[in-house]
């Protein structure tokens, strides 16, 4: 490759041309994220230069990162799961009720969260993989079921008073060396919440699984072409089942992380989170058609999304509708880009 | 001995034929619900003739409520059936687009003043503008699905999230109120006629779509595209245009429902109007026995399905189920329906039926 190309620029162009779809979309995402962040620093002023602004973004979106990882996995396998927002709401409500009304322990709440995630995963995975029902219908029903159940469990939103939980919620992990001096001239440490550490661990784990394990590669194979995956001896149904199982399990974990961040239970929690998760995955370069995607891209997708939200709110357009419209517009843009990439690829294959 | 066996097999044949009828599912569901209500509380079926506050005769009772609100669903079910049949997916943005259509109607009627003394234009103009706008949004969905080949549910997810925001933005987040009492006719009662107006609107829509299906090739083409896109293209049909068209038609249905919805309140509430209606519309199509993966469809079954869904909703309300908890029950119904219509489950069931029949004959 280096012999063929004469200059450095040529070789970069060559590489760009011959990248796999996964890497191409990942590059687009990362470039867009950095452009956006630099743009924010230039146009919105100093606020974005502080490390804490970035870390707060992570704090607020830890749950979204976790659920988006699950969403990416399902989308790589060729399915979709729009029940994650509902599961998050259900988990936070159940944990809140358990902690406050039944004087439960933190461990119990975590187990409840995981249990709810597992239950959703098993049912939805079975319906999608073994009964071959469209994943969209199944998870749409799952979403409405979860939202309805949240109201049945408890109607009114409330804040959790449980001492052990409040202590856990307020735990701050200080990031050394990133503090800044505030207006009063005092040095303030930069911090992240526990949820962020969980989220980063999940990202790392999922990245390793998808990149280097047999199971991870089989997700790509099934999503790319389930027929040929079957010929290769992959258990397609089991792979699909596992993808939905892991996604819902991650939604359960994400639910608890979300609960740790907000510290309350409410039926209107995580409204539209499924949309944000799908948008992050798509912005992160995961193809809706399956077989293409990257967890690192998803992480950057979430960051891009929250950067946009930050820009919108700091530009003074803080009416609630602008956020919805900007995210939808971004999703639309990336969907069209993907569609064009796919169409081009098809043409080149035919040629 | 032989004779009875033959008779029996004939009987099961008849049963099999009945089971294979598409209208069987909604009718059976309706019967089950009706019998359940009859046992639980016969007063469910009571209809009383009362007088409204204006002194006009109105019918009231649970059945009238079903007729009233089921009509909205029936109108949506018409469009949703076409979209489902052509594209093999569903439009989940209908609730949000209803909010947009309603918002447009109010905006055109009220102008910038949210408490107008006199209306800016006639209702017809406002309605036509809303039709155009919601057909445009339908066209947006249609373009994404047909020309960019995005899965329908993901494409419509865009408007599902942004729609209510757009609706609020159209009216600058104000809640205009229309004081003209004639505006309430569309969602209420026309003086002198005791049956709710939405029912007549729904009947008009049904007649129009029946005529369209009878005298044009729309139904045939839609089914052809849904069953096999490639072969329909080889037969000279433009599958992209048919898909696009189905979304535009759904947009028109949405505008009609939007008119009814805002007329009921003479105002609008952006976050609550037509909430979760997409689920009901999809359920109506599924309950009508139409495959959610596209292909053949039966319009009458879908429309009947819509009323059955409203029957279910009203029954649940009667048993003091909170409106926010309703989706949980409906989700269970959806899952039951799709599981029963899944090919692998069907095979097993028919295998079971055959075994039973063999035993009977023996």
């Amino acid at each position: 490759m280096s012999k063929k190309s004469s200059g450095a620029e040529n070789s970069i162009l060559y590489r760009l041309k011959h990248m796999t779809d996964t890497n191409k979309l990942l590059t687009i995402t990362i470039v867009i994220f950095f452009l956006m962040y630099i743009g924010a620093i230039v146009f919105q002023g100093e606020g974005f230069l502080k490390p804490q602004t970035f870390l707060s973004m992570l704090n607020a979106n830890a749950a979204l990162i976790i659920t988006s990882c699950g969403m990416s996995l399902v989308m790589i396998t060729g399915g979709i799961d729009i029940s994650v927002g509902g599961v998050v709401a259900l988990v936070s409500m159940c944990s809140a009720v358990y902690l406050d009304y039944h004087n439960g322990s933190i461990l119990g709440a975590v187990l409840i969260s995981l249990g709810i995630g597992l239950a959703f995963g098993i049912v939805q995975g079975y319906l999608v993989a073994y009964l071959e029902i469209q994943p969209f219908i199944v998870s749409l029903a799952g979403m409405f079921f979860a939202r309805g159940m949240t109201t049945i469990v408890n109607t009114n939103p409330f804040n959790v008073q449980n001492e052990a939980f409040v202590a856990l919620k307020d735990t701050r992990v200080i990031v050394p060396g990133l503090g800044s001096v505030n207006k009063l001239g005092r040095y303030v440490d930069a911090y992240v919440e526990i949820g962020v550490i969980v989220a980063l661990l999940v990202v790392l784990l999922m990245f390793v699984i998808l990149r280097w394990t047999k199971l991870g590669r089989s997700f790509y194979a099934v999503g790319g072409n389930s027929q040929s995956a079957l010929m290769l001896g992959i258990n397609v149904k089991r792979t699909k089942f596992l993808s939905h199982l892991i996604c819902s399990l991650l939604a359960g974990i994400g639910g608890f992380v979300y609960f740790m961040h907000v510290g309350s239970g409410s039926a209107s929690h995580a409204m539209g989170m499924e949309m944000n998760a799908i948008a992050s995955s798509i912005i992160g370069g995961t193809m809706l058609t399956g077989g293409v995607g990257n967890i690192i891209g998803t992480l950057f997708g979430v960051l891009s999304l929250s950067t946009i939200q930050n820009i919108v709110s700091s530009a003074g357009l803080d009416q609630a509708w602008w956020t919805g419209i900007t995210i939808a517009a971004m999703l639309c843009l990336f969907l069209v880009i993907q569609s064009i990439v796919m169409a081009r690829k098809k043409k080149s294959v035919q040629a | 001995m032989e004779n009875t066996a033959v008779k029996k097999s004939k009987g099961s044949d008849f049963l099999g034929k009945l089971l294979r009828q598409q209208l069987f599912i909604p009718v059976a569901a309706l019967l089950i619900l009706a019998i359940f209500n009859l046992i639980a509380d016969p007063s469910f079926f009571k209809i009383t003739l009362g007088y409204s506050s204006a002194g006009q005769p109105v019918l009231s009772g649970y059945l009238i409520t079903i007729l009233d609100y089921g009509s909205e669903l029936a109108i949506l079910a018409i469009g949703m059936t076409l979209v489902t049949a052509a594209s093999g997916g569903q439009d989940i943005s209908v609730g949000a687009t209803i909010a947009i259509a309603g918002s447009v109607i109010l905006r055109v009627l009220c102008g910038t003043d949210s408490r107008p003394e006199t209306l800016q234009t006639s209702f017809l103009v406002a309605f036509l503008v809303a039709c155009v706008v919601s057909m445009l949004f339908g066209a947006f969905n249609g373009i994404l699905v047909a020309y960019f080949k995005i899965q329908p549910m993901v494409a419509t997810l865009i408007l599902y999230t942004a729609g209510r925001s757009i609706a609020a933005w159209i009216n600058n987040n104000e809640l205009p109120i229309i004081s003209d009492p004639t505006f309430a006719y569309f969602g209420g009662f026309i003086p002198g006629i005791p049956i709710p107006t939405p029912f007549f609107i729904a009947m008009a829509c049904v007649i129009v779509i029946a005529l369209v299906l009878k005298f044009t090739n729309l139904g045939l083409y839609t089914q052809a595209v849904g069953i096999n896109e490639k072969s329909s293209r080889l037969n000279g049909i433009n599958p992209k245009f048919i898909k696009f068209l189905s979304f535009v038609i759904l947009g028109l249905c949405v505008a009609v429902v939007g008119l009814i919805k805002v007329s009921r309140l003479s105002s609008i509430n952006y976050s609550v109007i037509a909430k979760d209606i997409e689920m009901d519309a999809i359920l109506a199509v599924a309950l009508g026995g139409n495959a959610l993966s596209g292909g053949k469809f039966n319009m009458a079954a879908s429309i009947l399905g819509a009323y059955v869904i409203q029957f279910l909703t009203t029954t649940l309300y009667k048993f003091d189920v909170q409106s926010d908890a309703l989706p949980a029950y409906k989700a269970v119904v959806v899952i039951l329906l799709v599981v029963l219509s899944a090919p692998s489950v069907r095979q097993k069931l028919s295998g079971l039926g055959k075994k039973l029949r063999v035993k009977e004959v023996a």
Side-chain angles (χ1 to χ4, degrees):
Chain A
M1 192 179 83
S2 54
K3 273 178 198 169
K4 269 185 192 171
S5 54
S6 49
E9 205 182 292
N10 262 347
S11 111
I12 288 173
L13 273 179
Y14 185 85
R15 270 196 200 171
L16 270 178
K17 248 186 189 171
H18 293 260
M19 253 191 224
T20 58
D21 292 339
T22 305
N23 288 341
K24 199 184 277 173
L25 291 170
L26 179 67
T27 319
I28 295 177
T29 309
I30 295 178
V31 166
I32 284 185
F33 168 69
F34 278 109
L35 281 182
M36 233 157 46
Y37 209 85
I38 292 168
I41 291 172
V42 171
F43 292 109
Q44 304 286 336
E46 302 294 296
F48 281 91
L49 263 179
K50 281 187 196 159
Q52 187 57 47
T53 311
F54 181 74
L55 293 180
S56 300
M57 227 158 74
L58 281 180
N59 285 339
N61 289 296
L64 183 60
I65 293 174
I66 299 174
T67 44
S68 300
C69 284
M71 184 68 79
S72 298
L73 177 70
V74 169
M75 277 165 58
I76 286 170
T77 323
I80 199 156
D81 185 345
I82 55 171
S83 70
V84 289
V87 174
V88 166
L90 182 61
V91 162
S92 62
M93 182 57 102
C94 287
S95 305
V97 167
Y98 175 71
L99 282 174
D100 248 27
Y101 294 175
H102 303 283
N103 238 340
S105 64
I106 301 274
L107 184 69
V110 173
L111 285 180
I112 285 178
S113 313
L114 292 180
I116 291 173
L118 263 183
F120 268 86
I122 289 172
V123 173
Q124 294 187 356
Y126 181 77
L127 291 177
V128 170
Y130 291 98
L131 295 187
E132 286 167 8
I133 304 170
Q134 287 174 329
F136 226 120
I137 295 289
V138 170
S139 57
L140 187 74
M143 166 171 120
F144 280 101
F145 183 74
R147 289 256 175 237
M149 276 312 280
T150 314
T151 322
I152 293 174
V153 170
N154 195 356
T155 318
N156 300 320
F158 67 99
N159 280 320
V160 175
Q161 312 287 347
N162 189 308
E163 279 173 18
F165 175 74
V166 172
L168 182 72
K169 176 179 177 278
D170 290 339
T171 309
R172 290 175 169 186
V173 181
I174 288 170
V175 183
L178 283 182
S180 55
V181 181
N182 70 1
K183 275 178 193 158
L184 296 173
R186 267 217 322 254
Y187 182 80
V188 183
D189 280 316
Y191 70 93
V192 290
E193 287 168 13
I194 298 173
V196 176
I197 295 169
V198 178
L200 293 180
L201 280 179
V202 166
V203 169
L204 194 67
L205 187 71
M206 292 293 292
F207 179 73
V208 169
I209 288 178
L210 278 176
R211 178 62 61 97
W212 285 299
T213 67
K214 202 174 140 195
L215 179 70
R217 300 319 288 178
S218 67
F219 287 129
Y220 282 98
V222 170
N225 189 336
S226 61
Q227 281 293 331
S228 49
L230 193 70
M231 307 252 180
L232 286 171
I234 294 170
N235 190 338
V236 173
K237 287 182 176 176
R238 207 192 55 163
T239 313
K240 278 188 181 170
F241 176 76
L242 278 179
S243 76
H244 278 270
L245 185 73
I246 296 174
C247 177
S248 291
L249 191 65
L250 286 180
I253 298 173
F256 194 77
V257 168
Y258 186 88
F259 177 54
M260 276 205 297
H261 181 69
V262 294
S264 62
S266 161
S268 61
H269 270 344
M271 268 296 178
M273 189 187 243
E274 57 279 343
M275 168 76 172
N276 287 350
I278 293 173
S280 316
S281 298
I282 289 175
I283 293 169
T286 309
M287 281 263 194
L288 269 173
T289 40
V292 180
N294 192 314
I295 292 296
I296 302 295
T298 306
L299 178 65
F300 276 97
V302 175
L303 291 177
S304 305
L305 214 59
S306 53
T307 309
I308 280 239
Q309 280 171 346
N310 271 4
I311 292 174
V312 165
S313 64
S314 69
L317 301 166
D318 52 351
Q319 289 106 327
W321 65 72
W322 279 110
T323 326
I325 292 179
T326 41
I327 293 177
M330 235 178 125
L331 178 65
C332 184
L333 178 76
F334 275 84
L335 276 175
V336 170
I337 290 179
Q338 274 194 12
S339 159
I340 291 170
V341 167
M342 279 310 281
R344 273 194 163 180
K345 199 180 156 197
K346 227 180 217 173
K347 253 184 202 164
S348 69
V349 167
Q350 272 172 5
Chain B
M1 192 66 197
E2 229 181 328
N3 245 342
T4 53
V6 168
K7 256 185 194 170
K8 258 189 185 170
S9 74
K10 254 190 183 170
S12 59
D13 255 16
F14 175 69
L15 204 71
K17 252 185 199 167
L18 196 72
L19 280 171
R20 252 170 272 145
Q21 275 283 319
Q22 211 176 354
L23 270 174
F24 172 76
I25 306 170
V27 169
L30 189 63
L31 280 180
I32 291 170
L33 278 170
I35 291 169
F36 174 75
N37 272 307
L38 203 62
I39 295 166
D41 186 6
S43 73
F44 189 87
F45 294 97
K46 213 166 73 181
I47 297 176
T48 50
L49 185 64
Y51 289 93
S52 67
S53 51
Q56 300 296 340
V58 288
L59 288 172
S60 62
Y62 287 112
L63 287 183
I64 298 299
T65 314
I66 294 168
L67 210 60
D68 194 355
Y69 287 86
S71 298
E72 293 172 358
L73 272 184
I75 298 170
L76 276 185
I78 292 172
M80 193 64 94
T81 309
L82 286 177
V83 165
T84 302
S87 66
Q90 286 74 37
D91 184 341
I92 58 171
S93 71
V94 283
T97 345
I98 286 173
I100 295 176
S103 190
V104 166
I105 290 176
L106 291 182
R107 170 80 195 192
V108 172
L109 285 177
C110 299
T112 47
D113 184 11
S114 66
R115 302 278 181 282
E117 295 293 316
T118 52
L119 298 177
Q120 301 281 333
T121 51
S122 68
F123 299 142
L124 185 69
V125 174
F127 174 63
L128 287 180
V129 173
C131 281
V132 170
V133 170
S134 57
M135 275 160 82
L136 279 179
F137 278 105
F140 171 74
N141 284 336
I143 287 171
L144 286 182
V145 172
Y147 295 96
F148 286 102
K149 294 192 176 127
I150 299 166
Q151 293 161 1
M153 279 181 148
V154 178
T156 51
L157 196 64
I158 296 172
L159 271 181
Y160 174 77
T161 21
R164 289 177 195 281
S165 306
I166 296 173
W169 176 59
I170 288 173
N171 264 317
N172 223 351
N173 215 9
E174 280 168 14
L175 306 173
I177 294 174
I178 290 174
S179 45
D180 189 345
T182 48
F183 185 62
Y185 290 170
F186 301 106
F189 296 88
I190 295 173
I193 301 171
I195 298 169
T197 325
F199 179 68
F200 296 113
I201 299 177
M203 282 309 112
C205 292
V206 168
I207 289 168
V208 168
I209 196 70
L211 290 178
V212 167
L213 288 180
K214 177 107 181 142
F215 291 108
T216 69
N217 290 331
L218 181 73
L220 181 71
Y221 284 6
T222 307
Q223 300 193 18
V225 170
I227 292 168
N228 191 333
E229 197 179 326
K230 263 186 193 157
S231 60
S232 71
R233 195 167 53 82
L234 293 178
N235 277 307
I237 303 171
N238 184 350
K240 285 179 181 170
F241 180 70
I242 294 290
K243 280 185 186 176
F244 175 77
L245 193 64
S246 71
F247 275 93
V248 174
I249 294 173
L250 179 60
L252 195 58
C253 299
V254 161
V256 176
V257 179
L259 175 69
I260 297 175
K261 279 279 184 198
V262 287
S263 164
R264 282 191 202 284
L265 288 175
S266 287
S267 179
I268 193 168
N269 184 338
Y270 303 111
S271 56
V272 177
I273 183 173
K275 194 163 171 268
D276 298 343
I277 207 169
E278 47 278 338
M279 182 73 168
D280 284 352
I282 295 171
L283 243 177
V285 176
L287 198 62
N290 302 300
L292 288 181
S293 47
K296 281 196 164 186
F297 69 89
N298 184 337
M299 194 57 86
S302 286
I303 292 165
L304 188 61
Y307 284 102
V308 176
I309 292 302
Q310 193 54 45
F311 205 116
L312 174 71
T313 312
T314 314
T315 310
L316 287 173
Y317 269 129
K318 189 168 171 296
F319 287 96
D320 285 335
V321 175
Q322 279 174 354
S323 64
D324 285 340
L326 281 178
Y329 297 91
K330 286 184 189 159
V332 174
V333 177
V334 173
I335 289 295
L336 275 180
L337 276 174
V338 287
V339 165
L340 281 180
S341 62
S344 55
V345 177
R346 276 226 161 148
Q347 252 174 13
K348 266 183 199 162
L349 278 182
S350 70
L352 211 71
K354 262 181 201 162
K355 260 187 199 166
L356 278 178
R357 223 168 290 157
V358 168
K359 263 186 193 169
E360 246 173 33
V361 171

